[in-house]
Structure formats: C-alpha cells, structure tokens
Amino acid sequence: EDKVVQSPLSLVVHEGDTVTLNCSYEVTNFRSLLWYKQEKKAPTFLFMLTSSGIEKKSGRLSSILDKKELFSILNITATQTGDSAVYLCAARNSGGSNYKLTFGKGTLLTVNP
Amino acid sequence: DAGVIQSPRHEVTEMGQEVTLRCKPISGHDYLFWYRQTMMRGLELLIYFNNNVPIDDSGMPEDRFSAKMPNASFSTLKIQPSEPRDSAVYFCANSPIGGNTIYFGEGSWLTVV
C-alpha cells in the first residue's frame, strides 16, 4: 500500500525562524512529489519535484527531493505569520490512465509574532 | 475559468439521510478526484475518474458511498444512508492529462448528527 509520512505533525515557531518540514514516501512506480499549503480552505499547490538533488525555490520557500532515500524536505526561511498553515506532501505514481496522489497527514505550522 | 466548483459548501444532516455532493470540474481537465479529509486520517482518495470513467474506487469506504460522472462537466458523490463518522470535508479535484498537479475545489463540509 502506498504511504506518505510527514514530520513533525505540528510545529510552533516565532517570526523570522527557519523551519524544515519532512516527507518520506513509499509509492509504487513513483513519478513525482508535490507540496501543498492548506489554510482554511482547499490545498494550494506549491512545488512539484521529479528529480533528485534539484532544488525548487519560490521566494522564501524551497524544496528538494532525494529519490534514493525516498524523502523530500520543504524549507521556509524568515517565517511570517502568513506562513501559518498545514503543509501537505503528496506522492504521485506513474502516469498514463493511472494517476494517484497519496497524501501525508500534513504538518501544522504555527508562526507566532 | 472559475476553477473547480463544489456544492453544497456546508451540509448538516441527520444520521440516516441521503447526502449528495456535487462537483463541476474545470473544463478540459480529464481527471476528476474525490477526496475526504478528516483530522484523524488526513486526505484520503475515495475515487477518481478519467474521461468520465471510474479508474480506481478502492478508497470508497463501503457500499453506502457511490460516485458518478455522467458527463465531463458534472460529478456526484452520494452517501446513503449517512452516519456521524462520515462527517468530514469532501474535496473534488481535477487535473488535465499530463498535468503536474491537481486543482482542488473549496470543499463540501459535511456534518452528520
């Protein structure tokens, strides 16, 4: 059975801190790893990673994938209160008509002023 | 494009009643997914369709749940009879063929009392 495990489950930091969120996966015919941010409503897409060692970056957020060790990390530098959210990691299996995203339970990040 | 549109946004119903959740996907997005999200289990894939055809319904919890996609612009998820443990947020999501991510609707917040 496909499985995605995120850690920590929750994290409380102060504004300006740097955080690292972890995601490990076991997925048959792995294709890509995705990160989402979920505030009050629907998850919104952050990154998609397919290749090991290539960092994806968007502002203060960055992410990298290690396909050998089957994990990914999401880094947020200089955190702001607006970064408070649940961060979800999802692993996708191979394409064609087979398209399944398996989600982790998420990491609840709280950034205090 | 208005994105994925779900209705109702909130539903409170009594145990034993039938519940129908609706989804209007993004035009041209061939994959449609139904997810359920709870605190305990996170985001779980219930079923997904490709070109209106159900591909994988292994996540549908039991016979009380059924999903249909009669055409490319409409899908329903039905629970009959509903139970309190069905209380969750139900998300409909879409992806185009070859797409890198899936796009979530705002969710239908279901409470069964």
Side-chain angles (χ1 to χ4, degrees), chain B residues 62-78:
Chain B
E62 47 199 90
D63 292 345
R64 297 184 297 108
F65 285 68
S66 62
K68 293 182 180 178
M69 192 166 184
N71 56 62
S73 57
F74 185 64
S75 177
T76 59
L77 177 68
K78 189 175 290 187

Side-chain angles (χ1 to χ4, degrees), chain A residues 31-32 34 36 38 40-45 48 88 92-93 95-105, chain B residues 9 31 33 35 37 40-43 45 48 50 55-56 58 91 95-96 98-102 104-106 109:
Chain A
R31 174 168 172 157
S32 58
L34 294 89
Y36 288 82
Q38 185 176 24
K40 299 285 187 192
K41 298 180 180 178
T44 54
F45 173 73
M48 184 190 75
L88 295 164
R92 180 184 165 182
N93 63 3
S97 64
N98 193 10
Y99 187 156
K100 189 173 177 180
L101 275 182
T102 303
F103 281 85
K105 291 190 178 178
Chain B
R9 293 294 311 281
Y31 288 96
F33 307 82
Y35 281 89
Q37 187 175 37
M40 289 294 293
R41 300 174 70 92
L43 264 171
L45 177 65
Y48 77 94
N50 179 14
I55 302 299
D56 185 349
S58 59
F91 287 104
S95 178
N100 293 330
T101 186
I102 63 174
F104 285 84
E106 296 284 278
W109 300 68

Side-chain angles (χ1 to χ4, degrees), chain A residues 79-93:
Chain A
T79 51
Q80 302 172 357
T81 54
D83 295 327
S84 297
V86 174
Y87 290 84
L88 295 164
C89 166
R92 180 184 165 182
N93 63 3

